[in-house]
């Protein structure tokens, strides 16, 4: 939440405190009724929105990039694109939300992490084509604007933008009384990035003999939560505050489910600079096979060996509680891998060293072979 359009003087007279004149007046020329209906009576508080903006301003400023013009308060966010850096700059855009993971946040009354999830879903789609994320615009719809809560959501978005290296350029918060309950909200965002036309990553670059490198996820990320809630909280009757021994560190189910999505944008940009990266696949809805197939040309297959990694315990819990088939798990969840990089065989070691140096757990998970544009999942995950 960044509210680039701030309203002033709502509910005040034309002259404010200290005699300062407000920038506008409105009147009908008729004597006012003793009891008139206000916007607040309909459930919308402009003052609450303004308060939320004030609480968030310092966080938003921490995401500022040199290209940003102006400050919060305009009708649009302004960003100067440095065209001298590129021969043929191509703008990339992506939009997304967080989905029903928000239900868990609302049930636990924890709101400062879902903004990170939101940014991750957008910027890691941008970097998948090789684009550097430049700026992001957010949107929050809520049943009632509670300034502290909205500021927590916005602070998470700002944190995510800092991790991704992009500016939080603006946004909007909408109060929807009668449509959403006072404690309900939904969030979405749109991001814009830039990439040199000759450096766009795509399936056209992928060749037989390339190496498939996997980057570990932080957990469920932001996909499959409708199934998670059905299996664990519905049919499984589990409580969010129950401590799960397999999670370690006295971690509750709710804490695990709210683990923020890993943001790979800056790591992938560094990887692109250091190694011959053919393509990147952001693992979201559709799981590993559903997303990896999107970057394969028709004449090759990607072979991914499950035995090269162990998914986090939360995946075992979901599968066992729901008695879910392996194929359904892999079509719904990331199963421990949030991003794949296809790199040349010659640069595989350099790629792994680059990611390891940045603190990203990464490994060689497979290879590219001749085929027909399919993903072959082989082997079995290690257990225990």
């Amino acid at each position: 939440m960044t509210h680039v359009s701030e309203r002033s003087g709502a509910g005040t007279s034309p002259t404010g405190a200290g005699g300062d004149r407000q920038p506008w007046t409105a009147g009908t020329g008729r004597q006012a009724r003793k009891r008139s209906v206000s916007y607040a009576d309909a459930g919308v508080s402009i003052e609450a929105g303004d308060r939320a903006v004030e609480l968030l301003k310092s966080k938003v400023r921490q995401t500022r990039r040199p290209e940003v013009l102006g400050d919060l308060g305009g009708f649009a966010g302004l960003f100067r694109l440095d065209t001298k850096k590129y021969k043929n700059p191509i703008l990339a855009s992506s939009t997304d939300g967080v989905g029903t993971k928000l239900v868990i946040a609302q049930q636990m009354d924890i709101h400062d992490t879902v903004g990170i999830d939101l940014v991750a879903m957008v910027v890691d789609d941008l970097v998948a084509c090789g684009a550097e994320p430049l700026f992001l615009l957010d949107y929050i719809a809520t049943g009632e604007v509670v300034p502290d809560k909205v500021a927590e959501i916005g602070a998470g978005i700002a944190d995510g933008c800092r991790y991704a290296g992009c500016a939080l350029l603006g946004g909007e918060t909408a109060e929807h009384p009668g449509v959403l309950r006072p404690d309900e909200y939904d969030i979405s965002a749109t991001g814009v990035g830039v990439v040199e036309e000759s450096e766009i990553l795509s399936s056209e670059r992928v060749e037989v003999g390339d190496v498939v490198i996997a980057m570990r996820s932080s957990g469920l990320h932001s996909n499959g939560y409708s199934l998670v809630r059905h299996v664990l909280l519905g049919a499984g009757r589990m409580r969010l505050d129950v401590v799960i021994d397999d999670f370690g560190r006295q971690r509750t189910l709710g804490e695990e489910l709210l683990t923020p999505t890993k943001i790979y944008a800056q790591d992938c940009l560094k990887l692109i600079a250091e190694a011959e990266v053919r393509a990147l696949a952001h693992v979201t809805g559709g799981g590993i096979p559903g997303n990896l197939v999107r970057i394969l040309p028709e004449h090759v297959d990607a072979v991914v060996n499950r035995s090269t990694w162990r998914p986090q315990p939360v995946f075992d819990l979901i599968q066992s509680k729901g008695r879910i088939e392996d194929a359904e798990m892999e079509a719904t969840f990331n199963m421990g891998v949030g991003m794949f990089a296809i790199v040349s065989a010659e640069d595989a070691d350099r790629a792994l060293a680059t990611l390891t140096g940045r603190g990203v757990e990464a490994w060689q998970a497979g290879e590219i072979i001749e085929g027909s544009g399919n993903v072959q999942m082989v082997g079995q995950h290690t257990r225990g």
Side-chain angles (χ1 to χ4, degrees):
M1 163 267 163
T2 53
H3 318 292
V4 294
S5 54
E6 299 179 52
R7 306 173 182 89
S8 62
T12 65
S13 65
T15 302
D20 294 335
R21 184 169 180 80
Q22 296 299 310
W24 58 269
T25 62
T28 63
R30 296 178 297 178
Q31 185 176 358
R33 297 178 180 177
K34 292 182 179 179
R35 180 69 175 95
S36 61
V37 177
S38 69
Y39 209 1
D41 291 328
V44 177
S45 172
I46 295 175
E47 290 88 345
D50 291 342
R51 174 59 178 158
V53 171
E54 290 300 319
L55 291 173
L56 187 60
K57 275 186 175 180
S58 63
K59 275 283 190 178
V60 175
R61 291 192 178 110
Q62 292 175 20
T63 73
R64 189 178 180 91
R65 290 174 50 127
E67 304 97 326
V68 175
L69 303 179
D71 202 351
L72 294 181
F75 287 100
L78 302 176
F79 190 97
R80 180 189 290 111
L81 179 63
D82 185 1
T83 56
K84 294 180 180 179
K85 290 175 58 177
Y86 308 91
K87 293 181 179 179
N88 295 294
I90 301 297
L91 294 180
S93 64
S94 176
T95 189
D96 212 334
V98 177
T100 59
K101 186 173 186 175
L102 295 177
V103 176
I104 307 297
Q106 291 160 20
Q107 289 176 339
M108 295 188 68
D109 196 25
I110 296 176
H111 313 287
D112 60 351
T113 60
V114 290
I116 299 173
D117 294 294
L118 179 62
V119 176
M121 299 303 286
V122 173
V123 299
D124 286 340
D125 276 355
L126 290 176
V127 81
C129 70
E132 174 192 359
L134 297 177
F135 59 83
L136 182 135
L137 301 163
D138 63 35
Y139 179 82
I140 301 174
T142 181
E144 178 183 355
V145 171
V146 178
D148 288 341
K149 180 190 292 186
V150 174
E152 287 181 22
I153 299 169
I157 298 173
D159 285 341
C161 286
R162 286 194 297 106
Y163 303 153
C166 66
L168 185 49
L169 194 58
E172 182 63 30
T173 293
E175 199 164 23
H176 291 171
V179 178
L180 297 171
R181 294 196 310 267
D183 61 334
E184 285 183 326
Y185 60 84
D186 196 8
I187 59 178
S188 64
T190 297
V192 173
V194 63
V195 58
E196 185 68 62
E197 184 173 11
S198 62
E199 297 176 5
I200 295 174
L201 302 182
S202 71
S203 61
E204 297 176 359
R205 293 173 173 253
V206 178
E207 302 176 359
V208 173
D210 287 344
V211 170
V212 179
I213 290 178
M215 301 177 217
R216 191 163 183 82
S217 69
S218 56
L220 291 169
H221 284 187
S222 297
N223 298 105
Y225 273 79
S226 293
L227 179 57
V228 170
R229 291 185 299 111
H230 172 72
V231 168
L232 300 185
L233 307 182
R237 299 182 180 276
M238 296 184 70
R239 291 174 41 178
L240 292 172
D241 61 357
V242 65
V243 174
I244 307 295
D245 291 337
D246 288 345
F247 293 165
R249 305 188 305 278
Q250 291 294 300
R251 194 168 173 84
T252 67
L253 175 61
E255 290 169 336
E256 177 65 31
L257 296 183
L258 284 185
T259 301
T261 303
K262 169 73 174 173
I263 295 177
Y264 301 95
Q266 289 297 308
D267 303 314
C268 288
L269 290 174
K270 182 65 173 178
L271 180 63
I272 292 169
E274 296 292 332
E276 183 63 35
V277 178
R278 313 286 200 195
L280 293 168
H282 184 201
V283 183
T284 55
I288 291 172
N291 286 282
L292 197 51
V293 73
R294 297 165 67 180
I295 59 169
L296 297 180
E298 294 182 354
H299 65 281
V300 307
D301 282 1
V303 179
V304 177
N305 192 337
R306 301 184 187 93
S307 68
T308 59
W309 82 94
R310 179 187 176 187
Q312 292 90 334
V314 66
F315 296 105
D316 290 334
L317 176 66
I318 295 167
Q319 184 166 18
S320 62
K321 284 287 186 180
R323 299 178 182 178
I324 302 172
E325 297 290 337
D326 290 345
E328 183 68 18
M329 289 291 295
E330 290 188 338
T332 306
F333 303 108
N334 66 61
M335 299 304 293
V337 179
M339 183 76 77
F340 281 104
I342 310 298
V343 304
S344 67
E346 295 80 6
D347 276 6
D349 289 341
R350 178 180 297 181
L352 288 171
T354 298
L355 293 169
T356 300
R358 294 185 59 84
V360 178
E361 185 178 348
W363 63 95
Q364 183 171 331
E367 61 181 339
I368 302 297
I369 65 172
E370 292 184 0
S372 53
N374 296 313
V375 177
Q376 301 180 28
M377 303 292 294
V378 301
Q380 296 298 322
H381 293 301
T382 56
R383 307 285 181 177

